[in-house]
Amino acid sequence: MTAQPAEQPGWRMPPMDGYTVGDLLTMPDLPPHTELIDGNLVLVSPQRYFHFATIDLLVAGLGLSRTSP
């Protein structure tokens, strides 16, 4: 009896040279926030209100520290 490698449905092996824009545009069922960086598919979660509020606070804080003596 030999162990067979389990196939994982839905998992794709990336091409040897990496993905291209054509691959990204033709792949079905990718999340809408998928990015292509250096031939790799990067699944990015959408930013929430907390993220935007934190960035605004940091920008305001940095803006105040740059103008004060």
Side-chain angles (χ1 to χ4, degrees):
M1 179 184 270
T2 60
Q4 297 292 330
E7 290 189 28
Q8 298 175 347
W11 288 77
R12 297 182 60 165
M13 293 298 293
M16 292 297 282
D17 296 332
Y19 289 106
T20 64
V21 173
D23 296 329
L24 179 66
L25 296 175
T26 58
M27 283 183 159
D29 302 326
L30 283 178
H33 292 90
T34 304
E35 296 180 6
L36 180 66
I37 300 176
D38 293 332
N40 298 307
L41 294 178
V42 179
L43 306 176
V44 181
S45 62
Q47 296 178 352
R48 304 279 185 223
Y49 174 76
F50 176 78
H51 183 83
F52 289 119
T54 304
I55 288 176
D56 286 343
L57 287 171
L58 288 171
V59 167
L62 290 172
L64 291 175
S65 65
R66 281 187 276 152
T67 58
S68 59

